[in-house]
């Protein structure tokens, strides 16, 4: 993440504003909004109850799931890039972290939000595109080998801060990547339990029909 050519001296209020702005943008529950606009009801009453793209896909509307994925990624990227443009790298890191917290713990939904994977990828692509691309490739590679979406996300986001530190030697990117990884892992605690028990569903697997 290149530093702004100008020397910024940011006071506490500016940094707080960057964080708050990122949080508010990240807290927009696109999955919930889109499914309601499409007449599909409350996404929180469907499937896992999550507001992210994976659960939106359970409605059977692939276009809506793709839109949710892009918008959730986009809000993280926009929050990060806007703060970087207006106030520099430190503000961008805080806005990025704020957008992640906004998505996973949105005030509008009683702090019960998504798991943060799409928003995390958007943030990483914005803060340092090579790190974001690396995370996406790690997700794809793990998914191709194990065919488990949650495992792919956990591996990709755990590896991202390591790669980010090696690639950029920027402690801010390394710290942000580590924060994102911890947050996403915490939000995936139920998935981790199922992974350890060998019960996590695989990509494309159909649910077993109930016994007659």
């Amino acid at each position: 993440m290149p530093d702004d050519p100008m020397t910024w001296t940011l006071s506490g209020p500016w940094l707080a504003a960057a964080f708050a702005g990122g949080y508010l943008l990240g807290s927009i529950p696109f999955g919930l909004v889109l499914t309601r606009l499409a007449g599909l009801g409350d996404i929180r009453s469907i499937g896992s109850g999550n507001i992210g793209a994976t659960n939106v896909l359970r409605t059977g509307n692939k276009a809506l799931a793709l839109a949710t994925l892009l918008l959730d990624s986009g809000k993280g990227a926009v929050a990060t890039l806007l703060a970087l443009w207006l106030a520099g790298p430190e503000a961008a890191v805080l806005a990025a972290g704020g957008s992640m917290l906004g998505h996973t713990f949105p005030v509008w939904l009683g702090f019960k939000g998504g798991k943060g994977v799409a928003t995390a990828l958007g943030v990483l692509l914005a803060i340092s595109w090579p790190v974001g691309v690396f995370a996406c490739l790690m997700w794809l590679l793990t998914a191709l080998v194990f065919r488990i979406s949650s495992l792919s996300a956990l591996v990709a986001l755990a590896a991202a801060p390591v790669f980010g530190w090696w690639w950029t030697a920027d402690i801010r990117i390394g710290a942000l990547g580590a924060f994102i990884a911890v947050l996403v892992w915490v939000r995936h605690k139920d998935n981790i339990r199922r992974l350890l028990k060998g019960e996590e569903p695989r990509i494309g697997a159909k649910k077993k029909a109930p016994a007659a």
Side-chain angles (χ1 to χ4, degrees):
M1 176 176 57
D3 287 327
D4 192 283
M6 298 178 65
T7 300
W8 293 89
T9 302
L10 294 178
S11 62
W14 276 104
L15 295 176
F19 176 82
Y23 177 88
L24 291 174
L25 187 56
S27 68
I28 301 173
F30 284 114
L32 178 61
V33 172
L34 291 176
T35 49
R36 280 187 170 172
L37 289 175
L40 298 174
D42 192 332
I43 188 63
R44 294 171 295 179
S45 65
I46 299 171
S48 66
N50 193 268
I51 63 171
T54 299
N55 201 40
V56 173
L57 185 60
R58 293 188 175 101
T59 66
N61 193 320
K62 294 180 180 180
L64 214 58
L66 178 60
T68 302
L69 175 66
L70 294 176
L71 288 169
D72 281 347
S73 298
K75 67 185 181 184
V78 168
T80 304
L81 291 172
L82 189 60
L84 179 62
W85 176 59
L86 290 175
E90 287 75 20
V93 168
L94 286 172
S99 70
M100 285 295 303
L101 286 173
H103 179 76
T104 52
F105 301 106
V107 64
W108 329 111
L109 303 180
F111 302 102
K112 296 177 181 179
K115 295 182 179 180
V117 178
T119 304
L121 293 176
V123 162
L124 292 174
L125 285 166
I127 206 79
S128 176
W129 69 264
V131 179
V133 169
F134 171 81
C136 291
L137 291 176
M138 283 297 296
W139 188 97
L140 182 60
L141 178 62
T142 308
L144 288 173
V145 174
F146 296 100
R147 301 191 62 78
I148 302 176
S149 179
S150 60
L151 178 63
S152 303
L154 294 171
V155 170
L157 294 175
V162 179
F163 176 81
W165 172 254
W166 172 79
W167 182 267
T168 67
D170 190 328
I171 192 171
R172 296 168 296 192
I173 293 178
L176 175 63
F179 170 76
I180 289 172
V182 170
L183 184 59
V184 171
W185 274 65
V186 169
R187 294 293 291 135
H188 278 76
K189 60 183 184 299
D190 293 333
N191 302 83
I192 293 171
R193 292 193 189 102
R194 289 193 294 270
L195 284 167
L196 293 175
K197 294 178 181 179
E199 298 173 352
E200 187 72 343
R202 295 181 180 273
I203 297 171
K206 295 182 179 179
K207 291 185 178 180
K208 294 181 179 180

